[in-house]
Amino acid sequence: MFKFLTILTWCLALSLTIAQDAPNVPTGDVITLSLSSSEAQATASATSTNTPIVTATRNGKAGIGWPSQEKDASPVIQFFTPNSTVSWWFDWTKNWNQGVLNSDGVEIDGQFVPMLFGVDYLNNFDTFQDGMTELMGYNEPDLKSNTGVSVYLEPSQAAEKWKTQIIQIRQQYPNIKIHSPVMASNKTWLLEFFKSICPDDSASDGWGNCEYKPDYVSAHLYTTDMNYFKGTLIEFQKDFGIPLVLSEFACHKFGSDPHPSLEEVSTFMEETMTWLDQQEWVVKYAWFGVSRDPQWLFGVYETNRLMATDGSLTSLGKQYMNGGKKIS
Ligand SMILES: *[C@@H]1O[C@H](CO)[C@@H](O)[C@H](O)[C@H]1NC(C)=O
Ligand SMILES: *[C@@H]1O[C@H](CO)[C@@H](O)[C@H](O)[C@H]1NC(C)=O
């Protein structure tokens, strides 16, 4: 898990660096980069006749994480057919059309949730998606990476940045729902973070009226064991006392390299999604394994794929759109 997530963080940070460095970006992407998000949205709207771009018209909990390294957002559309239970998506960035991900003309009938990837991203070159109603927090700041790209922070350092940033964001977007930073693995880090931002409150009272508290606590969880899955999330939610978003999960265990069969993954999906849908305190979740290029699976075993290398949906992808229920 450590290695995987280090690489993930590094690659995401690298792609953002590339986007900023216009001369290295192919011409098509430079055009995209030059559009502000509102211009980009106008462009997308002008080429379409259907529903607005960023509208939550569905209330299912299931979402899609689409790596911005895929460059093109159009394959994501396949998950948002009228009979699909998939309701939202994200790409680890602030804006779905930020240059690295070309979304011109792409219209998705679902909610896009931007992410504030790290503490230095609030006022960077990119802007938040117009109409943002929800925001994902820092991605895996507990990782001690030595790549020189991802930056490990002490919980207290992250908390100081967070307190300023969350106030600024809430002033600009008064009704926004904010997710906590999400850990690669270190729950202690996140507990210390919460205690730093809300020292007078605790999980037992949902961190009271603390003005710096996030609306949801976020988690990543990779396992092949259903009982471990349930137990870990129940305990996690109790430890933090607020509703939970599971923004990455799959039938996979880092380190031990198990190779679950398609059938095992399919059963795991049905059981986890059925259970997640039943838990009132679970707000949203997103299966990890949506990309064409295998390198953006970052070592997660291929049987977890929701999309094949040719960009078509796998049977597991169709099952995901079917509320996790196996399609016979
Ligand atoms: C988890 O985070 C805490 C707080 O920053 C730190 O003291 C501890 O060493 C970390 N544990 C691991 C395994 O990295
Ligand atoms: C949704 O509808 C399409 C087209 O009618 C169909 O091919 C697909 O199997 C349906 N999917 C689900 C999950 O019901």
Side-chain angles (χ1 to χ4, degrees):
M1 173 179 249
F2 178 82
K3 190 173 167 201
F4 156 69
L5 292 156
T6 303
I7 295 166
L8 177 61
T9 308
W10 182 82
C11 290
L12 285 165
L14 179 64
S15 69
L16 292 169
T17 310
I18 290 167
Q20 208 165 6
D21 188 5
N24 289 336
V25 178
T27 316
D29 286 353
V30 174
I31 292 165
T32 308
L33 261 182
S34 68
L35 295 173
S36 71
S37 65
S38 56
E39 284 169 334
Q41 210 162 357
T43 308
S45 300
T47 57
S48 62
T49 53
N50 300 324
T51 44
I53 297 176
V54 185
T55 313
T57 57
R58 304 156 182 276
N59 52 20
K61 298 180 185 180
I64 298 293
W66 178 248
S68 56
Q69 293 95 327
E70 281 279 354
K71 300 284 174 69
D72 173 13
S74 53
V76 183
I77 295 175
Q78 298 172 91
F79 290 100
F80 294 87
T81 55
N83 58 356
S84 168
T85 57
V86 175
S87 70
W88 67 285
W89 69 292
F90 71 103
D91 68 356
W92 287 269
T93 78
K94 288 160 76 178
N95 191 311
W96 79 333
N97 200 358
Q98 74 156 139
V100 288
L101 186 64
N102 185 352
S103 307
D104 288 354
V106 174
E107 198 168 298
I108 290 171
D109 183 21
Q111 180 192 20
F112 177 80
V113 183
M115 177 187 280
L116 190 61
F117 189 82
V119 296
D120 298 327
Y121 284 67
L122 184 59
N123 299 309
N124 70 359
F125 64 95
D126 192 24
T127 54
F128 282 124
Q129 184 71 38
D130 279 359
M132 170 171 81
T133 55
E134 197 167 326
L135 178 63
M136 300 168 86
Y138 311 146
N139 195 64
E140 304 186 343
D142 60 320
L143 269 189
K144 288 183 178 155
S145 157
N146 59 3
T147 60
V149 182
S150 88
V151 181
Y152 171 83
L153 287 173
E154 293 296 329
S156 58
Q157 292 175 303
E160 283 315 301
K161 297 272 190 182
W162 177 272
K163 287 200 283 187
T164 314
Q165 295 182 357
I166 199 168
I167 295 297
Q168 189 184 329
I169 292 165
R170 288 210 197 276
Q171 272 166 1
Q172 259 181 294
Y173 303 90
N175 300 316
I176 195 160
K177 298 291 186 194
I178 300 181
H179 305 197
S180 75
V182 67
M183 300 300 104
S185 59
N186 191 339
K187 189 160 78 173
T188 306
W189 191 107
L190 195 57
L191 280 168
E192 286 185 17
F193 173 86
F194 270 80
K195 285 174 195 155
S196 291
I197 58 172
C198 302
D200 301 328
D201 294 288
S202 68
S204 60
D205 67 348
W207 308 98
N209 295 321
C210 171
E211 62 180 325
Y212 306 119
K213 74 174 180 184
D215 298 283
Y216 310 134
V217 65
S218 191
H220 291 169
L221 182 54
Y222 291 89
T223 178
T224 56
D225 180 334
M226 183 60 195
N227 287 330
Y228 178 81
F229 180 89
K230 286 197 262 188
T232 303
L233 290 183
I234 289 169
E235 192 184 296
F236 193 90
Q237 196 273 334
K238 278 195 191 134
D239 284 342
F240 291 95
I242 53 177
L244 180 138
V245 175
L246 181 61
S247 57
E248 288 183 20
F249 75 112
C251 185
H252 181 84
K253 193 163 183 239
F254 288 98
S256 68
D257 199 27
H259 289 180
S261 66
L262 277 174
E263 186 53 33
E264 285 166 331
V265 175
S266 170
T267 299
F268 182 85
M269 172 180 275
E270 179 159 316
E271 287 178 359
T272 49
M273 285 177 70
T274 302
W275 184 79
L276 290 167
D277 285 340
Q278 286 166 353
Q279 309 312 309
E280 271 175 37
W281 43 270
V282 175
V283 179
K284 273 182 164 64
Y285 55 80
W287 187 268
F288 186 89
V290 192
S291 73
R292 295 167 293 193
D293 189 333
Q295 67 178 308
W296 312 135
L297 294 176
F298 297 96
V300 170
Y301 196 56
E302 295 265 344
T303 46
N304 283 282
R305 277 182 170 280
L306 304 189
M307 187 183 284
T309 48
D310 68 359
S312 65
L313 298 169
T314 60
S315 61
L316 194 72
K318 290 175 189 159
Q319 181 183 335
Y320 193 62
M321 294 164 68
N322 193 35
K325 302 280 178 289
K326 289 186 190 182
I327 301 167
S328 46

